[in-house]
């Protein structure tokens, strides 16, 4: 039975943390796997975190029925999806259409990053740097090291890292294939998204459509949630403009939440199966207040220092970490619970882990274990 969503202007419905959890899992295709195509899923989710090469594939495995990694890899090869820096200045896998619209939307934020590197860019004409870098990467895709050396030839006194960061911020650079393809290696080589796709980027769009799509994939959500996901600021006026088209709620802390009127908001009691998410899954990063997925006691516990691990959703919430190691022909998946698990939870987690190993590794044997590999120093 669906959760009640009626409200009045004076007394918006309060959504519990569990209600928000189930609504978000449903939008994220994590309550039940979807039969949609990989391309449609990438579009629906507004992109996949792609700081590392394998996580986009595991993100789709967790969400789609009968997912074949070769499907996403083929989309990359045909240039229907690309790897590009967009949201929060992090690398994402986007559809070609989204790469050409979302990057212009966040371009001003990318350029503001350059203030952090201003000392290393003293005396550098940024317009000229953009022109030089664009000429280089359009001539042919350039490995990062080669691009840096070419830029240093023009600005020998500049900081080398600052030069390459500036090129990445000023230009919509994509990582060309075979980088990021399943089962294939390749160094990072860059060209512009327009050159790679053979069509120009869109003019800077109004954020309204992106806000509506965000709510469809991450809602119900607050203004601050959207800003945390997008890496943008000052978007309250956008929500005010859209208010007549949206429903409003409150969370248990009294924060106003917006949502699409026809979006699913399942009964909070609906079961949520275990799901193995890779490091940096956007479900875990898509809100300012992440308690709808990450219990307060587990904040920051999906990694130590700069090392991040996969997250296991148990009853919809992050309550374990996981990693895979190889010993010869055996893939060993270790689950480290962050709370005591009952027998049924262990059984369901083991079964889901075994299915994932069979689908996402080429190992001839699989072993699922519960143990400790992360020392939090508590």
């Amino acid at each position: 039975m669906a959760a009640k969503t009626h409200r009045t202007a004076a007394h918006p419905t309060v959504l519990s943390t569990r209600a928000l959890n189930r609504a978000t899992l449903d939008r994220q295709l994590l309550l039940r796997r979807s039969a949609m195509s990989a391309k449609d899923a990438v579009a629906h989710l507004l992109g996949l975190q792609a700081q590392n090469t394998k996580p986009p594939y595991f993100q789709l495995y967790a969400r789609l029925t009968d997912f074949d990694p070769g499907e996403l890899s083929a989309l990359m090869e045909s240039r229907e999806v690309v790897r590009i820096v967009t949201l929060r200045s992090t690398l994402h896998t986007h559809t070609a259409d989204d790469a050409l619209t979302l990057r212009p939307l966040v371009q001003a934020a990318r350029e503001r990053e350059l203030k952090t590197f201003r000392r290393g860019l003293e005396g550098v004409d940024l317009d000229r740097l953009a022109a030089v870098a664009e000429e280089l990467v359009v001539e042919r895709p350039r490995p990062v090291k080669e691009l840096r050396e070419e830029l240093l030839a023009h600005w020998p006194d500049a900081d080398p890292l600052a030069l390459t960061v500036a090129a990445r911020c000023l230009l919509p650079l994509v990582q060309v294939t075979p980088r990021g393809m399943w089962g294939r290696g390749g160094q990072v080589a860059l060209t512009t998204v327009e050159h790679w796709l053979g069509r120009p980027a869109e003019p800077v769009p109004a954020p309204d459509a992106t806000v509506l799509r965000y709510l469809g994939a991450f809602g119900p959500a607050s203004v601050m949630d959207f800003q945390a996901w997008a890496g943008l600021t000052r978007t309250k006026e956008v929500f005010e403009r859209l208010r007549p088209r949206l429903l409003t709620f409150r969370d248990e802390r009294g924060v106003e939440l917006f949502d699409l009127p026809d979006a699913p908001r399942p009964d909070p009691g609906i079961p949520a199966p275990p799901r193995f998410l890779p490091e940096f899954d956007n479900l875990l990063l898509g809100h300012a207040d992440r308690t709808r997925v990450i219990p307060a006691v587990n904040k920051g516990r999906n990694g130590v220092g700069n090392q991040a691990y996969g997250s296991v959703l148990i009853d919809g919430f992050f309550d374990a970490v996981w990693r895979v190691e190889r010993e010869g022909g055996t893939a060993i998946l270790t689950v480290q619970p962050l709370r005591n698990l009952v027998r049924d939870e262990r059984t369901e987690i083991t079964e889901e882990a075994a299915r994932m190993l069979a689908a996402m590794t080429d190992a001839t044997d699989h072993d699922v274990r519960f143990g400790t590999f992360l020392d939090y120093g508590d």
Side-chain angles (χ1 to χ4, degrees):
M1 184 177 73
K4 293 182 179 180
T5 59
H6 65 277
R7 62 168 175 85
T8 66
H11 301 286
T13 299
V14 174
L15 296 178
S16 68
T17 299
R18 192 174 182 87
L20 289 173
N21 174 272
R22 293 314 195 246
T24 306
L25 292 182
D26 201 337
R27 318 287 174 90
Q28 285 283 304
L29 315 178
L30 290 166
L31 268 187
R32 63 195 68 79
R33 285 185 165 91
S34 170
M36 70 173 59
S37 69
K39 183 177 179 180
D40 287 346
V42 174
H44 169 73
L45 297 167
L46 286 96
L48 308 171
Q49 269 271 6
Q51 287 170 257
N52 297 323
T53 57
K54 288 185 178 180
Y57 296 91
F58 282 88
Q59 289 168 61
L60 292 183
Y61 173 79
R63 291 167 166 89
L64 303 182
T65 56
D66 302 318
F67 172 66
D68 179 355
E71 184 182 358
L72 180 60
S73 198
L75 291 171
M76 295 190 64
E77 192 165 31
S78 63
R79 308 188 188 187
E80 294 177 74
V81 303
V82 298
R83 292 164 58 83
I84 184 172
V85 172
T86 52
L87 310 168
R88 305 182 302 279
S89 191
T90 54
L91 194 66
H92 279 71
T93 294
H94 287 295
T95 64
D97 287 343
D98 278 351
L100 293 169
T101 55
L102 285 177
R103 176 58 191 243
L105 179 64
V106 301
Q107 181 58 37
R110 300 292 69 76
E111 292 175 6
R112 284 197 295 271
E113 287 180 58
L114 294 179
K115 294 179 181 178
T116 306
F117 297 88
R118 58 183 178 274
R119 286 189 177 180
L121 294 170
E122 288 182 3
V124 176
D125 183 325
L126 294 180
D127 289 337
R128 181 166 173 253
L129 185 150
V132 169
E134 183 171 14
E135 183 177 353
L136 288 167
V137 299
V138 166
E139 180 183 31
R140 59 180 170 82
R142 302 277 179 161
V144 175
K145 183 174 182 291
E146 183 179 329
L147 177 61
R148 181 184 300 123
E149 291 172 348
E150 292 281 359
L151 293 176
L152 273 172
H154 290 268
W155 294 279
D157 297 327
D159 176 69
L161 174 62
L163 288 175
T164 51
V165 169
R168 186 199 70 177
C169 290
L170 295 169
L171 297 174
L173 298 178
V174 297
Q175 294 187 1
V176 306
T177 54
R179 180 71 175 179
M181 294 180 65
W182 185 255
R184 295 177 62 181
Q187 66 178 332
V188 175
L190 305 170
T191 190
T192 66
V193 66
E194 297 99 328
H195 183 70
W196 186 243
L197 298 177
R199 52 192 171 114
E202 298 293 325
V204 178
D208 301 45
T210 302
V211 166
L212 296 175
R213 289 180 63 196
Y214 168 79
L215 292 175
F218 292 87
S222 69
V223 175
M224 294 300 293
D225 287 331
F226 173 77
Q227 293 182 169
W229 168 80
L232 298 174
T233 59
R234 301 177 182 177
T235 63
K236 184 176 181 180
E237 65 180 28
V238 182
F239 283 81
E240 292 301 326
R241 187 162 60 241
L242 293 170
R243 185 182 289 274
R245 300 169 56 181
L246 302 173
L247 294 180
T248 57
F249 302 92
R250 296 279 176 182
D251 68 14
E252 293 174 328
R253 297 172 177 80
V255 174
E256 185 175 40
L257 306 173
F258 295 83
D259 206 7
L260 306 176
D262 57 352
R265 287 174 290 276
D267 189 304
I270 191 172
R275 291 288 186 258
F276 284 78
L277 304 181
E279 63 270 29
F280 309 122
D281 192 293
N282 269 336
L283 172 73
L284 305 172
L285 301 171
H287 302 87
D289 180 358
R290 300 170 182 173
T291 55
R292 69 177 66 196
V293 178
I294 304 176
V297 69
N298 290 338
K299 180 180 179 181
R301 295 177 73 86
N302 49 0
V304 172
N306 293 325
Q307 179 64 57
Y309 291 92
S311 301
V312 187
L313 301 183
I314 307 173
D315 189 30
F317 293 89
F318 163 55
D319 268 323
V321 290
W322 66 277
R323 71 175 182 183
V324 174
E325 298 174 298
R326 291 291 290 263
E327 288 186 5
T330 302
I332 301 170
L333 191 155
T334 304
V335 175
Q336 180 175 331
L338 301 179
R339 64 169 172 82
N340 292 328
L341 304 179
V342 300
R343 179 181 299 176
D344 286 350
E345 288 175 328
R346 284 179 173 260
T347 298
E348 291 179 352
I349 290 168
T350 300
E351 292 173 347
E352 177 66 13
R355 287 191 292 267
M356 183 178 68
L357 289 175
M360 300 295 287
T361 74
D362 60 0
T364 54
D365 294 303
H366 311 126
D367 186 8
V368 178
R369 304 172 180 176
F370 290 84
T372 299
F373 58 86
L374 248 181
D375 181 4
Y376 294 104
D378 294 342

